[in-house]
Amino acid sequence: MKQSLLFAPTLRDMPKEAEVTSHKILLKGGYIKQSAAGVYSYLPLGYKIIKKIENIIREELDKIGCSELLMPALQSKDLWVESGRWEAYGKELMRLEDRHERSFCLGPTHEEVITSVVRDFISSYKKLPLALYQIQTKFRDEFRPRFGLMRGREFIMKDLYTFHANEEDLDVWYLKVRKAYQNILDRMDLHYRIVRADSGNIGGSSSEEFMILCDIGEDTIVYSDSSDFASNLELYDLKVGDPSPDGVGHILHAKGIEAGHIFKLGTKYSSPMKANFVDRDGVSKPIIMGCYGMGISRLLMAILEQHYRDEKAIWPKQVRPFDVHVLPLDKEETPNFMTALDLYKALKEKGIEVLFDDRTESAGVKFKDADLIGIRHRIVVGRRANEGIFEYKDIKEDITKEITLDELLTMDYKL
Ligand code: ATP
Ligand code: MG
């Protein structure tokens, strides 16, 4: 698309409120704009990446048999009283009243709603298992919103819930979702570690977190230097050098950003909310559940936190906003600009996602903005364009070279 129509309002100076590099780049590059503490607008560039993240998640979940639905953000108090969480959830729950003084909350998570949806339709083991997910805005009145999208008060989450007739089936699905999560994070070129975790406000018997390894992470991971043992520090108070609890090796520490959290809920919600089914043996039992969250807006920032160099973005290929960035150095209606426009059209016709910098800006501004947008393949249409020679820059490998039109037209931009 033409960059003049993109609306990526870049800033010249570093925003003062940003403490971490990914947040700086997102603000400076015009990906997001803060609206209130912990509340953001996703501008077109940021939203384009959000949609790519969402689609990767959709593809991997649909592949294992999950179905997407969309539940309301506005949830009635009655449901939360049924589960016992209206009191238990505390101040993080955003509560409100309607004009008839009926109480509601803005959903921080959806165990209550999904359980109430399913209980009215699933009465027999013949209808199980079932796996339902949504991608939706969540609300949590976090005590300390910080690091931009990392800890917001309004944020985008994918939440999946599974329903089973027995524990064995839950175990099978838990592992399927765990593998899907690995595929999702692998497709975003993330370095992460799966760790044992505290089930917190959501509850249930056991849970694991997917931690993106990063110095700015708020969580501390304790792990063995010689086995698979890895846990959130919340569960085991282990110091560096302590023997690992599994008897193999010694403990190291690392910082992590929690991207996802998967739980075996068991009957924590189905029992109090009376979501029962009649089993093969004719006996009525509470449905066994699992739940699986993934922070989509948090991922936007976490991906960038692992993919920048010198405060310049380098987006991984499956989430980058465009595949190629074409920059003419001369203004509109010059031969140089027309050559660039032809190149843009030719690449677009090949089905490549191209961003064409048609703006009336100096070369310096165009380069600075391109560094913030972070598209791997950059083509500069410069002085030698009239001879058919272009400048190609691979920002991932940090290589710049002169290249001919033929080479440009046959290059693999999906890399
Ligand atoms: P945290 O320990 O970071 O508060 P949590 O355990 O409360 O996370 P879950 O309730 O398991 O989080 O939510 C699922 C996912 O939603 C998390 O793994 C995280 O990626 C994302 N998430 C949770 N809280 C926030 C937030 N305030 N802002 C952005 N994303 C969030
Ligand atoms: Mg939390």
Side-chain angles (χ1 to χ4, degrees):
M1 80 173 290
K2 291 187 173 164
Q3 206 167 330
S4 60
L5 296 172
L6 177 65
F7 190 62
T10 49
L11 308 173
R12 281 300 132 238
D13 300 315
M14 251 335 159
K16 280 187 284 299
E17 71 263 36
E19 299 163 67
V20 299
T21 306
S22 54
H23 190 197
K24 284 183 194 170
I25 297 174
L26 289 182
L27 289 171
K28 203 174 175 216
Y31 292 82
I32 58 172
K33 182 166 190 335
Q34 189 177 23
S35 172
V39 182
Y40 287 83
S41 294
Y42 306 102
L43 305 185
L45 202 51
Y47 197 50
K48 218 168 184 323
I49 300 172
I50 292 268
K51 284 186 283 186
K52 296 207 169 182
I53 296 172
E54 290 178 353
N55 284 335
I56 290 175
I57 294 175
R58 286 193 173 100
E59 281 172 21
E60 295 300 328
L61 293 184
D62 293 353
K63 216 187 270 176
I64 60 166
C66 304
S67 303
E68 186 173 2
L69 82 174
L70 184 60
M71 290 179 276
L74 193 61
Q75 306 184 6
S76 102
K77 173 183 173 182
D78 303 348
L79 284 176
W80 285 71
V81 169
E82 273 191 63
S83 71
R85 282 208 295 183
W86 184 257
E87 297 301 330
Y89 213 93
K91 290 197 168 165
E92 233 177 68
L93 195 61
M94 293 274 198
R95 297 161 208 257
L96 66 156
E97 281 190 351
D98 69 8
R99 63 173 73 197
H100 306 294
E101 293 174 8
R102 281 185 291 246
S103 297
F104 289 84
C105 67
L106 294 175
T109 175
H110 280 69
E111 285 78 14
E112 283 78 2
V113 180
I114 193 77
T115 305
S116 78
V117 166
V118 165
R119 73 175 166 194
D120 291 344
F121 302 111
I122 302 297
S123 52
S124 160
Y125 72 93
K126 290 177 200 155
K127 299 274 177 65
L128 297 170
L130 199 57
L132 301 170
Y133 74 97
Q134 65 173 347
I135 290 177
Q136 205 215 27
T137 302
K138 299 283 193 259
F139 300 85
R140 294 184 185 179
D141 197 357
E142 298 278 359
F143 182 69
R144 200 148 82 96
R146 63 194 293 237
F147 292 170
L149 304 181
M150 220 51 108
R151 187 164 296 286
R153 294 195 299 163
E154 174 175 330
F155 58 95
I156 306 173
M157 196 207 285
K158 183 285 301 168
D159 44 329
L160 162 69
Y161 306 88
T162 62
F163 301 86
H164 314 273
N166 54 56
E167 296 282 349
E168 295 71 49
D169 193 47
L170 169 62
D171 293 347
V172 169
W173 272 83
Y174 183 89
L175 290 179
K176 280 211 282 189
V177 176
R178 194 177 190 271
K179 183 70 184 77
Y181 268 43
Q182 289 174 289
N183 293 345
I184 290 165
L185 299 182
D186 287 342
R187 287 179 62 179
M188 298 174 192
D189 290 350
L190 286 165
H191 301 293
Y192 61 94
R193 182 124 198 186
I194 304 175
V195 309
R196 298 184 202 176
D198 177 6
S199 309
N201 251 333
I202 297 190
S205 60
S206 67
S207 77
E208 288 175 298
E209 290 166 336
F210 288 72
M211 290 288 187
I212 312 294
L213 302 175
C214 234
D215 289 341
I216 65 143
E218 290 184 299
D219 288 277
T220 301
I221 302 162
V222 295
Y223 66 99
S224 165
D225 58 9
S226 14
S227 77
D228 276 347
F229 174 82
S231 165
N232 196 311
L233 180 66
E234 292 165 355
L235 284 191
Y236 297 84
D237 185 22
L238 295 169
K239 292 179 189 58
V240 175
D242 283 354
S244 177
D246 65 353
V248 187
H250 291 87
I251 290 299
L252 292 174
H253 282 190
K255 290 286 179 195
I257 299 169
E258 181 193 317
H261 199 167
I262 61 178
F263 303 76
K264 289 183 186 173
L265 289 176
T267 60
K268 181 175 160 43
Y269 296 89
S270 52
S271 284
M273 296 185 69
K274 301 189 178 60
N276 300 321
F277 73 102
V278 177
D279 206 351
R280 213 178 276 275
D281 55 12
V283 177
S284 175
K285 303 172 184 172
I287 303 175
I288 292 167
M289 291 172 58
C291 92
Y292 318 81
M294 189 171 259
I296 291 171
S297 42
R298 183 180 282 186
L299 270 172
L300 172 64
M301 228 177 122
I303 293 170
L304 187 54
E305 197 53 44
Q306 276 193 355
H307 294 89
Y308 69 80
R309 191 191 302 131
D310 304 332
E311 302 199 338
K312 297 170 184 172
I314 311 171
W315 292 104
K317 66 167 178 262
Q318 295 208 26
V319 300
R320 66 186 169 221
F322 298 89
D323 290 326
V324 189
H325 202 169
V326 175
L327 281 72
L329 293 188
D330 282 352
K331 302 208 174 9
E332 220 170 336
E333 282 167 22
T334 59
N336 175 286
F337 187 94
M338 298 314 285
T339 306
L341 185 64
D342 287 342
L343 174 62
Y344 161 61
K345 286 182 181 159
L347 291 173
K348 226 170 49 150
E349 247 162 52
K350 288 172 170 288
I352 299 165
E353 287 190 90
V354 194
L355 181 63
F356 176 54
D357 195 347
D358 62 331
R359 299 172 307 158
T360 316
E361 294 285 1
S362 70
V365 167
K366 286 187 177 183
F367 286 132
K368 280 210 176 77
D369 288 352
D371 285 341
L372 290 165
I373 297 173
I375 302 166
R376 178 173 182 181
H377 307 286
R378 185 183 303 171
I379 302 166
V380 178
V381 182
R383 267 182 304 116
R384 298 190 63 194
N386 58 343
E387 307 162 39
I389 305 288
F390 300 80
E391 187 185 300
Y392 166 76
K393 182 165 185 178
D394 177 340
I395 64 162
K396 184 174 176 210
E397 301 299 333
D398 205 12
I399 294 167
T400 306
K401 61 180 180 191
E402 292 201 320
I403 194 169
T404 64
L405 183 61
D406 270 355
E407 288 174 287
L408 281 180
L409 292 175
T410 51
M411 213 156 97
D412 184 2
Y413 295 104
K414 290 292 170 194
L415 292 176

